[in-house]
Amino acid sequence: MSTTLAPMPVTSPLPSALEDRAVVIVGGSSGIGLAAGALLVSVGARVTLVARDAARLSSAAERLRTTPGAAVSGITGDGTDETVLEHALDQAGPVDHVLVTAGGFSVGALLDTPREQVRESVDGRIWGAYGAARAAARRLPAGGSITFSSGLYLTRPIPGASAAIASIGAVEGLTRALAVELAPRRLRVNAIRYGVVDTPLSRGALGLGDDAAVAAAGQGSLLGRFATAEEAASAALFLMANNFMTGTVVTVDGGQSLV
Ligand SMILES: NC(=O)c1ccc[n+]([C@@H]2O[C@H](COP(=O)([O-])OP(=O)(O)OC[C@H]3O[C@@H](n4cnc5c(N)ncnc54)[C@H](OP(=O)(O)O)[C@@H]3O)[C@@H](O)[C@H]2O)c1
């Protein structure tokens, strides 16, 4: 891959500067990705959502289109398949920013988890990030950014999730390595380390059936509740808009890593 020593643009770091920018969100039909889509649309960005379940994707895109003037499209596909990502970026192009929120939370104790399940969990997380970066590196302009997802369990592990936790560790490593490798192209690479965020993923993983159960479970947190998906997603807009952010893992955990 040849490098381009493009000048690094200086632009306003406010999220409003994302107006008219094109953003691909891999994992945009639910939770944090969908919330990022809504925030981006609200500041006038053009958004392309990528996810596997066509019906859920279509209803997510419809929801975002209720904002007047919203430019939203959806591409159905698996974000671990690099050709899907290339297609998404070409369809949405020219794209300025890529946000990867695709990913689940696969649990299993070391001695009880079949090797194939571990491989799936690790492959999904790493190839999703690696493939997104490869597709983006060939297409994004100077000042463009790639943002990955990580989680607080990396530094505050729980038992029975070693493969998932190792995978997000790899993504954080990839973040730093690619920030250095892609800097000559003036591309930026960051990650967001989330604490518990109220989304379908966390509700399912923690067995929380309704709002009352979420509120009760969040009470033991430092701030007395879990993050909203919008609070988590706003960090992604910050990383996209601020052209001096690269190689960084931003933690959005309500201070939970301190206790
Ligand atoms: N919520 C939390 O508390 C929390 C905490 C720490 C880290 N995280 C991380 O933050 C990210 C977002 O989580 P979330 O809570 O917003 O999850 P979510 O509500 O389950 O949303 C995940 C989104 O990713 C899509 N997706 C999953 N696998 C995909 C694949 N292989 N290809 C394309 N799209 C895919 C899903 O749609 P389809 O299933 O239709 O593809 C969905 O749109 C995840 O990586 C998660 O591990 C979340």
Side-chain angles (χ1 to χ4, degrees):
M1 184 174 78
S2 69
T3 54
T4 310
L5 287 167
M8 186 66 187
V10 178
T11 58
S12 163
L14 295 176
S16 53
L18 295 170
E19 183 177 6
D20 274 334
R21 300 290 172 199
V23 182
V24 170
I25 305 174
V26 186
S29 69
S30 172
I32 300 166
L34 178 56
L39 292 177
L40 285 161
V41 162
S42 76
V43 297
R46 288 172 283 126
V47 171
T48 299
L49 311 176
V50 181
R52 295 165 302 179
D53 184 306
R56 187 158 70 147
L57 178 62
S58 162
S59 84
E62 276 313 310
R63 202 168 125 191
L64 297 191
R65 286 190 194 109
T66 56
T67 299
V72 181
S73 52
I75 293 190
T76 307
D78 190 328
T80 61
D81 179 345
E82 198 173 321
T83 61
V84 167
L85 299 168
E86 286 173 340
H87 171 67
L89 268 84
D90 288 339
Q91 288 290 112
V95 170
D96 299 287
H97 304 284
V98 175
L99 170 64
V100 183
T101 56
F105 188 63
S106 152
V107 289
L110 179 71
L111 299 180
D112 301 334
T113 314
R115 203 179 171 85
E116 200 42 46
Q117 185 185 320
V118 174
R119 193 190 299 275
E120 256 178 48
S121 157
V122 172
D123 279 4
R125 182 68 69 172
I126 294 173
W127 288 119
Y130 203 87
R134 273 158 66 116
R138 295 196 174 95
R139 292 167 175 81
L140 264 49
S145 74
I146 306 161
T147 304
F148 298 128
S149 297
S150 176
L152 184 59
Y153 289 151
L154 180 61
T155 51
R156 304 287 305 273
I158 55 167
S162 57
I165 291 169
S167 308
I168 53 175
V171 168
E172 290 200 10
L174 192 64
T175 299
R176 286 185 281 274
L178 290 180
V180 171
E181 186 168 329
L182 297 180
R185 288 177 166 260
R186 305 303 182 233
L187 298 184
R188 303 176 294 110
V189 187
N190 295 291
I192 306 171
R193 191 188 289 165
Y194 303 108
V196 182
V197 183
D198 180 15
T199 68
L201 176 69
S202 58
R203 286 187 179 217
L206 300 175
L208 305 172
D210 56 20
D211 291 351
V214 172
Q219 264 170 17
S221 308
L222 191 63
L223 292 182
R225 64 171 175 82
F226 297 146
T228 67
E230 291 73 21
E231 287 167 336
S234 72
L237 273 73
F238 162 70
L239 291 169
M240 289 175 202
N242 191 323
N243 272 357
F244 216 61
M245 294 300 295
T246 196
T248 297
V249 179
V250 171
T251 300
V252 184
D253 71 347
Q256 202 59 34
S257 45
L258 302 175
V259 295

